[in-house]
Amino acid sequence: MGAIKVTDSNFQEEVLNSDVPVLVDFWAVWCGPCRAIAPVIEKLAEDFAGRAKVAKCDVDNNMQTPIQYGIRSIPSLLFFVDGEVRDQVIGGVSERELAKRLDALVGQAA
């Protein structure tokens, strides 16, 4: 299935109203580190299917949501549970680290 695309218009429905934890990758096409982490994001989407959502928000095409969450650097990864930011990572980070953080939130949401 892969990561879902979230936009200013569907962010509320897909992320804030989600009944499972959501990892949102704020990224842009021109961002090298964003492209480097993209395969990790896709793998996490597969690994956590059914337990959590993994989403991508293109900051160039969706201005409102990144501003709302104070996104100043990309990639920025925000972890949401019950519509609230519970964790955040800025910049490139290992798949293992992201999986560990997402696993912790899946455990809290159970």
Side-chain angles (χ1 to χ4, degrees), residues 6-73:
V6 292
T7 63
D8 288 342
S9 59
N10 75 356
F11 194 85
Q12 175 87 31
E13 177 187 341
E14 292 288 351
V15 178
L16 302 182
N17 294 343
S18 177
D19 55 356
V20 294
V22 186
L23 164 58
V24 181
D25 173 19
F26 290 91
W27 70 287
V29 172
W30 49 263
C31 168
C34 298
R35 287 195 310 271
I37 202 172
V40 170
I41 299 300
E42 291 300 324
K43 183 163 185 336
L44 288 171
E46 292 175 21
D47 292 350
F48 282 86
R51 298 185 297 145
K53 284 185 186 178
V54 177
K56 295 174 71 74
C57 181
D58 183 338
V59 298
D60 287 335
N61 295 320
N62 301 282
M63 305 282 185
Q64 185 178 342
T65 304
I67 289 171
Q68 181 179 347
Y69 289 96
I71 303 301
R72 291 192 175 94
S73 299

Side-chain angles (χ1 to χ4, degrees), residues 16 69 77-88 105:
L16 302 182
Y69 289 96
L77 302 134
L78 270 56
F79 298 78
F80 290 82
V81 176
D82 297 327
E84 295 181 8
V85 176
R86 297 285 176 90
D87 200 356
Q88 179 174 351
L105 296 177

